[in-house]
mmCIF file with all atom_site columns, all heavy atoms in Angstrom:
data_model
loop_
_atom_site.group_PDB
_atom_site.id
_atom_site.type_symbol
_atom_site.label_atom_id
_atom_site.label_alt_id
_atom_site.label_comp_id
_atom_site.label_asym_id
_atom_site.label_entity_id
_atom_site.label_seq_id
_atom_site.pdbx_PDB_ins_code
_atom_site.Cartn_x
_atom_site.Cartn_y
_atom_site.Cartn_z
_atom_site.occupancy
_atom_site.B_iso_or_equiv
_atom_site.pdbx_formal_charge
_atom_site.auth_seq_id
_atom_site.auth_comp_id
_atom_site.auth_asym_id
_atom_site.auth_atom_id
_atom_site.pdbx_PDB_model_num
ATOM   1   N N   . GLY A 1 45  ? 81.426 38.194 -50.637 1.00 0.00 ? 45  GLY A N   1
ATOM   2   C CA  . GLY A 1 45  ? 81.501 38.199 -52.021 1.00 0.00 ? 45  GLY A CA  1
ATOM   3   C C   . GLY A 1 45  ? 82.708 38.918 -52.596 1.00 0.00 ? 45  GLY A C   1
ATOM   4   O O   . GLY A 1 45  ? 83.460 39.599 -51.853 1.00 0.00 ? 45  GLY A O   1
ATOM   5   N N   . GLY A 1 46  ? 82.909 38.719 -53.819 1.00 0.00 ? 46  GLY A N   1
ATOM   6   C CA  . GLY A 1 46  ? 84.206 39.275 -54.470 1.00 0.00 ? 46  GLY A CA  1
ATOM   7   C C   . GLY A 1 46  ? 84.437 38.451 -55.735 1.00 0.00 ? 46  GLY A C   1
ATOM   8   O O   . GLY A 1 46  ? 83.532 38.270 -56.500 1.00 0.00 ? 46  GLY A O   1
ATOM   9   N N   . GLU A 1 47  ? 85.578 37.964 -55.827 1.00 0.00 ? 47  GLU A N   1
ATOM   10  C CA  . GLU A 1 47  ? 85.850 37.032 -56.957 1.00 0.00 ? 47  GLU A CA  1
ATOM   11  C C   . GLU A 1 47  ? 86.384 35.776 -56.463 1.00 0.00 ? 47  GLU A C   1
ATOM   12  O O   . GLU A 1 47  ? 87.431 35.689 -55.798 1.00 0.00 ? 47  GLU A O   1
ATOM   13  C CB  . GLU A 1 47  ? 86.929 37.790 -57.881 1.00 0.00 ? 47  GLU A CB  1
ATOM   14  C CG  . GLU A 1 47  ? 87.130 37.207 -59.349 1.00 0.00 ? 47  GLU A CG  1
ATOM   15  C CD  . GLU A 1 47  ? 85.829 37.099 -60.101 1.00 0.00 ? 47  GLU A CD  1
ATOM   16  O OE1 . GLU A 1 47  ? 85.055 37.998 -60.039 1.00 0.00 ? 47  GLU A OE1 1
ATOM   17  O OE2 . GLU A 1 47  ? 85.576 35.984 -60.583 1.00 0.00 ? 47  GLU A OE2 1
ATOM   18  N N   . SER A 1 48  ? 85.600 34.669 -56.622 1.00 0.00 ? 48  SER A N   1
ATOM   19  C CA  . SER A 1 48  ? 85.950 33.327 -56.015 1.00 0.00 ? 48  SER A CA  1
ATOM   20  C C   . SER A 1 48  ? 87.349 32.849 -56.331 1.00 0.00 ? 48  SER A C   1
ATOM   21  O O   . SER A 1 48  ? 88.008 32.243 -55.480 1.00 0.00 ? 48  SER A O   1
ATOM   22  C CB  . SER A 1 48  ? 84.828 32.292 -56.278 1.00 0.00 ? 48  SER A CB  1
ATOM   23  O OG  . SER A 1 48  ? 84.684 32.202 -57.647 1.00 0.00 ? 48  SER A OG  1
ATOM   24  N N   . THR A 1 49  ? 87.755 32.997 -57.702 1.00 0.00 ? 49  THR A N   1
ATOM   25  C CA  . THR A 1 49  ? 89.039 32.551 -57.991 1.00 0.00 ? 49  THR A CA  1
ATOM   26  C C   . THR A 1 49  ? 90.186 33.271 -57.251 1.00 0.00 ? 49  THR A C   1
ATOM   27  O O   . THR A 1 49  ? 91.084 32.597 -56.780 1.00 0.00 ? 49  THR A O   1
ATOM   28  C CB  . THR A 1 49  ? 89.257 32.678 -59.545 1.00 0.00 ? 49  THR A CB  1
ATOM   29  O OG1 . THR A 1 49  ? 88.889 33.992 -59.952 1.00 0.00 ? 49  THR A OG1 1
ATOM   30  C CG2 . THR A 1 49  ? 88.587 31.547 -60.372 1.00 0.00 ? 49  THR A CG2 1
ATOM   31  N N   . CYS A 1 78  ? 77.664 34.926 -52.117 1.00 0.00 ? 78  CYS A N   1
ATOM   32  C CA  . CYS A 1 78  ? 78.019 35.129 -53.525 1.00 0.00 ? 78  CYS A CA  1
ATOM   33  C C   . CYS A 1 78  ? 79.418 34.453 -53.823 1.00 0.00 ? 78  CYS A C   1
ATOM   34  O O   . CYS A 1 78  ? 79.385 33.221 -53.839 1.00 0.00 ? 78  CYS A O   1
ATOM   35  C CB  . CYS A 1 78  ? 78.094 36.581 -53.866 1.00 0.00 ? 78  CYS A CB  1
ATOM   36  S SG  . CYS A 1 78  ? 77.976 36.850 -55.555 1.00 0.00 ? 78  CYS A SG  1
ATOM   37  N N   . ALA A 1 79  ? 80.489 35.093 -53.997 1.00 0.00 ? 79  ALA A N   1
ATOM   38  C CA  . ALA A 1 79  ? 81.746 34.315 -54.215 1.00 0.00 ? 79  ALA A CA  1
ATOM   39  C C   . ALA A 1 79  ? 82.070 33.364 -53.077 1.00 0.00 ? 79  ALA A C   1
ATOM   40  O O   . ALA A 1 79  ? 82.615 32.263 -53.234 1.00 0.00 ? 79  ALA A O   1
ATOM   41  C CB  . ALA A 1 79  ? 82.920 35.342 -54.435 1.00 0.00 ? 79  ALA A CB  1
ATOM   42  N N   . ILE A 1 82  ? 80.405 30.165 -53.510 1.00 0.00 ? 82  ILE A N   1
ATOM   43  C CA  . ILE A 1 82  ? 81.232 29.289 -54.556 1.00 0.00 ? 82  ILE A CA  1
ATOM   44  C C   . ILE A 1 82  ? 82.402 28.671 -53.861 1.00 0.00 ? 82  ILE A C   1
ATOM   45  O O   . ILE A 1 82  ? 82.628 27.511 -54.021 1.00 0.00 ? 82  ILE A O   1
ATOM   46  C CB  . ILE A 1 82  ? 81.732 30.202 -55.711 1.00 0.00 ? 82  ILE A CB  1
ATOM   47  C CG1 . ILE A 1 82  ? 80.582 30.757 -56.516 1.00 0.00 ? 82  ILE A CG1 1
ATOM   48  C CG2 . ILE A 1 82  ? 82.657 29.436 -56.650 1.00 0.00 ? 82  ILE A CG2 1
ATOM   49  C CD1 . ILE A 1 82  ? 80.984 31.975 -57.444 1.00 0.00 ? 82  ILE A CD1 1
ATOM   50  N N   . ARG A 1 105 ? 78.635 29.572 -61.766 1.00 0.00 ? 105 ARG A N   1
ATOM   51  C CA  . ARG A 1 105 ? 79.062 30.955 -61.613 1.00 0.00 ? 105 ARG A CA  1
ATOM   52  C C   . ARG A 1 105 ? 78.359 31.935 -62.572 1.00 0.00 ? 105 ARG A C   1
ATOM   53  O O   . ARG A 1 105 ? 78.066 31.499 -63.621 1.00 0.00 ? 105 ARG A O   1
ATOM   54  C CB  . ARG A 1 105 ? 80.638 31.019 -61.672 1.00 0.00 ? 105 ARG A CB  1
ATOM   55  C CG  . ARG A 1 105 ? 81.434 30.370 -60.687 1.00 0.00 ? 105 ARG A CG  1
ATOM   56  C CD  . ARG A 1 105 ? 82.861 30.383 -60.968 1.00 0.00 ? 105 ARG A CD  1
ATOM   57  N NE  . ARG A 1 105 ? 83.454 31.714 -60.793 1.00 0.00 ? 105 ARG A NE  1
ATOM   58  C CZ  . ARG A 1 105 ? 84.491 32.172 -61.233 1.00 0.00 ? 105 ARG A CZ  1
ATOM   59  N NH1 . ARG A 1 105 ? 85.312 31.306 -61.844 1.00 0.00 ? 105 ARG A NH1 1
ATOM   60  N NH2 . ARG A 1 105 ? 84.911 33.408 -61.133 1.00 0.00 ? 105 ARG A NH2 1
ATOM   61  N N   . ASN A 1 106 ? 78.202 33.163 -62.296 1.00 0.00 ? 106 ASN A N   1
ATOM   62  C CA  . ASN A 1 106 ? 77.737 34.186 -63.169 1.00 0.00 ? 106 ASN A CA  1
ATOM   63  C C   . ASN A 1 106 ? 76.510 33.604 -63.814 1.00 0.00 ? 106 ASN A C   1
ATOM   64  O O   . ASN A 1 106 ? 76.450 33.837 -65.078 1.00 0.00 ? 106 ASN A O   1
ATOM   65  C CB  . ASN A 1 106 ? 78.737 34.601 -64.167 1.00 0.00 ? 106 ASN A CB  1
ATOM   66  C CG  . ASN A 1 106 ? 80.055 35.029 -63.479 1.00 0.00 ? 106 ASN A CG  1
ATOM   67  O OD1 . ASN A 1 106 ? 80.031 35.798 -62.438 1.00 0.00 ? 106 ASN A OD1 1
ATOM   68  N ND2 . ASN A 1 106 ? 81.234 34.616 -63.934 1.00 0.00 ? 106 ASN A ND2 1
ATOM   69  N N   . ILE A 1 133 ? 74.859 40.462 -57.636 1.00 0.00 ? 133 ILE A N   1
ATOM   70  C CA  . ILE A 1 133 ? 75.905 41.037 -58.517 1.00 0.00 ? 133 ILE A CA  1
ATOM   71  C C   . ILE A 1 133 ? 76.608 39.973 -59.191 1.00 0.00 ? 133 ILE A C   1
ATOM   72  O O   . ILE A 1 133 ? 77.413 39.164 -58.467 1.00 0.00 ? 133 ILE A O   1
ATOM   73  C CB  . ILE A 1 133 ? 76.837 41.943 -57.707 1.00 0.00 ? 133 ILE A CB  1
ATOM   74  C CG1 . ILE A 1 133 ? 75.888 43.044 -57.007 1.00 0.00 ? 133 ILE A CG1 1
ATOM   75  C CG2 . ILE A 1 133 ? 77.830 42.532 -58.544 1.00 0.00 ? 133 ILE A CG2 1
ATOM   76  C CD1 . ILE A 1 133 ? 76.875 43.761 -55.907 1.00 0.00 ? 133 ILE A CD1 1
ATOM   77  N N   . ARG A 1 134 ? 76.548 39.789 -60.425 1.00 0.00 ? 134 ARG A N   1
ATOM   78  C CA  . ARG A 1 134 ? 77.108 38.582 -61.231 1.00 0.00 ? 134 ARG A CA  1
ATOM   79  C C   . ARG A 1 134 ? 77.106 37.299 -60.373 1.00 0.00 ? 134 ARG A C   1
ATOM   80  O O   . ARG A 1 134 ? 78.162 36.659 -60.116 1.00 0.00 ? 134 ARG A O   1
ATOM   81  C CB  . ARG A 1 134 ? 78.591 38.974 -61.486 1.00 0.00 ? 134 ARG A CB  1
ATOM   82  C CG  . ARG A 1 134 ? 78.656 40.154 -62.572 1.00 0.00 ? 134 ARG A CG  1
ATOM   83  C CD  . ARG A 1 134 ? 80.114 40.365 -63.089 1.00 0.00 ? 134 ARG A CD  1
ATOM   84  N NE  . ARG A 1 134 ? 81.081 40.392 -61.966 1.00 0.00 ? 134 ARG A NE  1
ATOM   85  C CZ  . ARG A 1 134 ? 81.234 41.435 -61.072 1.00 0.00 ? 134 ARG A CZ  1
ATOM   86  N NH1 . ARG A 1 134 ? 80.521 42.535 -61.302 1.00 0.00 ? 134 ARG A NH1 1
ATOM   87  N NH2 . ARG A 1 134 ? 82.194 41.457 -60.184 1.00 0.00 ? 134 ARG A NH2 1
ATOM   88  N N   . HIS A 1 169 ? 74.032 39.247 -51.981 1.00 0.00 ? 169 HIS A N   1
ATOM   89  C CA  . HIS A 1 169 ? 74.711 40.106 -50.983 1.00 0.00 ? 169 HIS A CA  1
ATOM   90  C C   . HIS A 1 169 ? 73.736 40.605 -50.010 1.00 0.00 ? 169 HIS A C   1
ATOM   91  O O   . HIS A 1 169 ? 73.054 41.613 -50.192 1.00 0.00 ? 169 HIS A O   1
ATOM   92  C CB  . HIS A 1 169 ? 75.454 41.230 -51.695 1.00 0.00 ? 169 HIS A CB  1
ATOM   93  C CG  . HIS A 1 169 ? 76.512 40.922 -52.531 1.00 0.00 ? 169 HIS A CG  1
ATOM   94  N ND1 . HIS A 1 169 ? 77.891 41.006 -52.169 1.00 0.00 ? 169 HIS A ND1 1
ATOM   95  C CD2 . HIS A 1 169 ? 76.691 40.491 -53.789 1.00 0.00 ? 169 HIS A CD2 1
ATOM   96  C CE1 . HIS A 1 169 ? 78.659 40.592 -53.057 1.00 0.00 ? 169 HIS A CE1 1
ATOM   97  N NE2 . HIS A 1 169 ? 77.933 40.162 -54.117 1.00 0.00 ? 169 HIS A NE2 1
HETATM 98  N N1  . LIG B 2 .   ? 81.153 36.390 -60.131 1.00 0.00 ? 201 LIG B N1  1
HETATM 99  C C1  . LIG B 2 .   ? 81.903 36.208 -59.029 1.00 0.00 ? 201 LIG B C1  1
HETATM 100 C C2  . LIG B 2 .   ? 82.589 34.842 -58.934 1.00 0.00 ? 201 LIG B C2  1
HETATM 101 O O1  . LIG B 2 .   ? 82.324 34.012 -59.780 1.00 0.00 ? 201 LIG B O1  1
HETATM 102 C C3  . LIG B 2 .   ? 81.029 36.351 -57.728 1.00 0.00 ? 201 LIG B C3  1
HETATM 103 C C4  . LIG B 2 .   ? 80.372 37.777 -57.758 1.00 0.00 ? 201 LIG B C4  1
HETATM 104 C C5  . LIG B 2 .   ? 80.172 38.239 -56.370 1.00 0.00 ? 201 LIG B C5  1
HETATM 105 O O2  . LIG B 2 .   ? 80.669 37.858 -55.359 1.00 0.00 ? 201 LIG B O2  1
HETATM 106 N N2  . LIG B 2 .   ? 79.426 39.395 -56.315 1.00 0.00 ? 201 LIG B N2  1
HETATM 107 O O3  . LIG B 2 .   ? 83.305 34.648 -58.138 1.00 0.00 ? 201 LIG B O3  1
#
Side-chain angles (χ1 to χ4, degrees):
E47 193 57 43
S48 57
T49 43
C78 203
I82 299 166
R105 298 177 62 195
N106 305 316
I133 304 169
R134 296 188 310 283
H169 291 260

